[in-house]
Structures are given as C-alpha cells and as structure tokens.
Amino acid sequence: MKLLHIDSSILSSNSVSRQLTKDTVTQWVSSHPGTTVDYLDLAVHTPSHLSAESLGFRMPAGANLSEVQKHENAVSEALVSQFLAAEVIVVGAPLYNLSIPSQLKAWIDRI
C-alpha cells in the first residue's frame, strides 16, 4: 500500500497541522505494515501557480512548446503521477486568512 503524505504549512516545526499529519501517518503505518510513504512538503517544493505556460498542453496540435512550457508540463505530470499512485492521501491543510495555503491551492490546481 502506498500513502502520500502532504504538508503545506509554512510554520515548519511550529506547525500544528504538520504534527497532526505526522501522528496520523505514524498511526496508519503502525496499523498497516508494509505501507510505503511518499512525502511532499509544499512549503519547500511549491509548484508554480497556473499560468499560460503551465497550460502549454492546450496549444494547437503541432505547435512547439517553449522550454518553460515543457518544464511546467513535466511538473504537472510528476504531481499527477504521484497522486494517482497513492492509495491513501493525508493532507495537512492549515487555515490562513480563512482559506488553505496558496501552496496547497497550486498543488490542487495541478491535480
């Protein structure tokens, strides 16, 4: 079984949501031996927010993609593949200004 553990708090070790996700993953792994955990820290590895370049796959057939578009497509492909490979997903989503962190929103947009 594969578990994707995602943290998005910018507060590092002072984050309550990070402690909660850590405890949740620890408990899951102890009750489901053999689980492999893939960790994604969106405060450290933040995907860029959607832009014309990150939507380069919408180009007409036969159009050449720029290097930036190719990079953005590779980022999206990696995030979607990581998400689809997981059977269990644990997301740490703190509340900032009555919303989720922009880093988490950028990840959701890519998925």
Side-chain angles (χ1 to χ4, degrees), residues 1-6 21 24-29 32 34-40 82-83 85-91:
M1 181 173 295
K2 191 164 191 174
L3 182 147
L4 176 57
H5 175 183
I6 301 171
T21 60
T24 300
V25 169
T26 300
Q27 185 177 13
W28 179 273
V29 170
H32 297 85
T35 299
T36 59
V37 178
D38 197 3
Y39 181 70
L40 177 59
Q82 182 183 44
F83 173 77
E87 297 170 90
V88 177
I89 301 171
V90 176
V91 178

Side-chain angles (χ1 to χ4, degrees), residues 13-46:
S13 62
N14 295 320
S15 168
V16 172
S17 67
R18 284 178 182 268
Q19 186 60 52
L20 290 171
T21 60
K22 179 182 176 187
D23 293 347
T24 300
V25 169
T26 300
Q27 185 177 13
W28 179 273
V29 170
S30 70
S31 62
H32 297 85
T35 299
T36 59
V37 178
D38 197 3
Y39 181 70
L40 177 59
D41 187 340
L42 293 173
V44 175
H45 301 287
T46 307

Side-chain angles (χ1 to χ4, degrees), residues 32-86:
H32 297 85
T35 299
T36 59
V37 178
D38 197 3
Y39 181 70
L40 177 59
D41 187 340
L42 293 173
V44 175
H45 301 287
T46 307
S48 61
H49 290 276
L50 292 181
S51 65
E53 284 76 25
S54 62
L55 294 176
F57 59 87
R58 300 240 181 226
M59 302 288 286
N64 291 327
L65 297 178
S66 71
E67 290 304 313
V68 172
Q69 289 168 326
K70 289 177 186 176
H71 171 75
E72 292 297 324
N73 286 346
V75 168
S76 292
E77 179 64 32
L79 292 173
V80 169
S81 295
Q82 182 183 44
F83 173 77
L84 292 175

